[in-house]
């Protein structure tokens, strides 16, 4: 079964609002997590990663939060734009292999 | 442009056909991957190559046969496929193994009739 999983399969967001996409993982030994974005007709694209020695990491308009206590991570997108409409995947590295969870489809409303 | 090019983008084949998917990366990476993406399912890792050597075969049926002639090229040879093999096949590369930053191609959409 999946080692990482998303909480909600879909998310609808008003343009300009912040988006929060959640993901849970089951293996407490997991120490490296990654978020990917997949736009329609394209392959997944790396967004940001975080290792277990951190609980927060920021990129351009994105923040990843890691809560090791409850084995949960989230991706926050600030000021969501139409170009953020995509499927978002959380993933983890286990034994050098990248394993993906099911995605969350984010739709941005104008 | 991700630096990873896959051809063909679309392929329709019968169950008795033999076809191949091609992937080329222009990034100077050492590791290459095949993933399968089916509707309603997470991406499934199929094969991993590192410096042209296969390091992972994720229990993939033998009707899928990978080939990695050099670090820049990866093929997936298809033979006697089943309709349930219809999916998007994604190639990716990375600088090394054990990294979360993979660079994916746009995929080859395969339909098996």
């Amino acid at each position: 079964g999946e080692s990482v999983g998303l909480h909600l399969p879909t998310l609808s967001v008003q343009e300009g609002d912040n988006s929060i996409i959640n993901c849970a993982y089951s293996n407490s030994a997991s120490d490296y997590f990654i978020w990917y974005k997949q736009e329609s007709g394209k392959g997944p694209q790396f967004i940001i990663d975080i290792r277990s020695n951190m609980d927060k990491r920021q990129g351009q308009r994105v923040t990843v939060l890691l809560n090791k206590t409850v084995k949960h991570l989230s991706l926050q997108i600030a000021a969501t734009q139409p170009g953020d409409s995509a499927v978002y995947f959380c993933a983890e590295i286990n034994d050098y292999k990248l394993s993906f969870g099911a995605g969350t489809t984010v739709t941005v409303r104008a | 442009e991700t630096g990873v090019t896959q051809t063909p983008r679309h392929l329709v084949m019968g169950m008795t056909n033999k076809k191949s998917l091609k992937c080329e990366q222009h990034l100077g990476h050492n590791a290459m991957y095949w993933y399968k993406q089916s509707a309603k399912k997470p991406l499934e890792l199929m094969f991993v190559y590192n410096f042209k050597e296969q390091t992972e075969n994720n229990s993939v049926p033998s009707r899928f046969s990978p080939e990695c002639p050099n670090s820049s090229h990866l093929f997936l040879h298809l033979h006697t496929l089943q309709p349930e093999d219809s999916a998007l096949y994604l190639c990716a590369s990375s600088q090394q193994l054990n990294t979360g930053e993979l660079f994916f191609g746009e995929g080859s959409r395969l339909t098996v009739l």
Side-chain angles (χ1 to χ4, degrees), chain B residues 90-111:
Chain B
L90 289 159
C91 173
S93 70
S94 63
Q95 182 62 48
Q96 71 253 346
L97 291 181
N98 209 32
T99 176
E101 189 169 6
L102 270 58
F103 292 75
F104 283 84
E106 295 188 324
S108 294
R109 172 71 61 188
L110 173 67
T111 302

Side-chain angles (χ1 to χ4, degrees), chain B residues 4-111:
Chain B
V4 180
T5 304
Q6 289 188 244
T7 54
R9 293 293 312 278
H10 299 273
L11 178 63
V12 179
M13 60 187 289
M15 289 191 285
T16 58
N17 292 159
K18 285 185 181 180
K19 296 286 184 183
S20 296
L21 306 181
K22 179 183 176 182
C23 177
E24 182 175 2
Q25 57 99 357
H26 310 276
L27 301 168
H29 288 169
N30 298 312
M32 295 189 77
Y33 311 77
W34 280 115
Y35 278 85
K36 176 183 179 182
Q37 187 173 34
S38 305
K40 312 286 186 191
K41 293 175 70 175
L43 275 77
E44 301 172 58
L45 178 64
M46 300 176 72
F47 301 103
V48 181
Y49 279 81
N50 191 38
F51 291 99
K52 303 189 301 178
E53 299 298 320
Q54 187 179 124
T55 60
E56 179 73 19
N57 177 337
N58 198 23
S59 302
V60 181
S62 59
R63 57 186 184 269
F64 294 91
S65 174
E67 178 190 0
C68 189
N70 54 62
S71 292
S72 299
H73 293 86
L74 186 64
F75 295 88
L76 188 63
H77 303 301
L78 315 170
H79 180 228
T80 323
L81 295 192
Q82 305 297 313
E84 60 265 28
D85 296 322
S86 298
L88 182 68
Y89 289 85
L90 289 159
C91 173
S93 70
S94 63
Q95 182 62 48
Q96 71 253 346
L97 291 181
N98 209 32
T99 176
E101 189 169 6
L102 270 58
F103 292 75
F104 283 84
E106 295 188 324
S108 294
R109 172 71 61 188
L110 173 67
T111 302

Side-chain angles (χ1 to χ4, degrees), chain A residues 51-93:
Chain A
R51 295 193 181 268
S52 59
N53 60 349
M54 304 176 71
D55 51 23
K56 180 180 179 179
R57 189 158 188 232
Q58 289 184 289
Q60 187 175 14
R61 276 199 313 117
V62 295
T63 300
V64 55
L65 299 177
L66 177 62
N67 185 329
K68 294 179 284 294
T69 303
V70 295
K71 292 186 282 192
H72 178 272
L73 70 158
S74 65
L75 179 71
Q76 300 179 4
I77 305 172
T80 310
Q81 302 169 359
D84 296 325
S85 292
V87 181
Y88 290 81
F89 298 93
C90 61
E92 63 175 343
I93 290 278

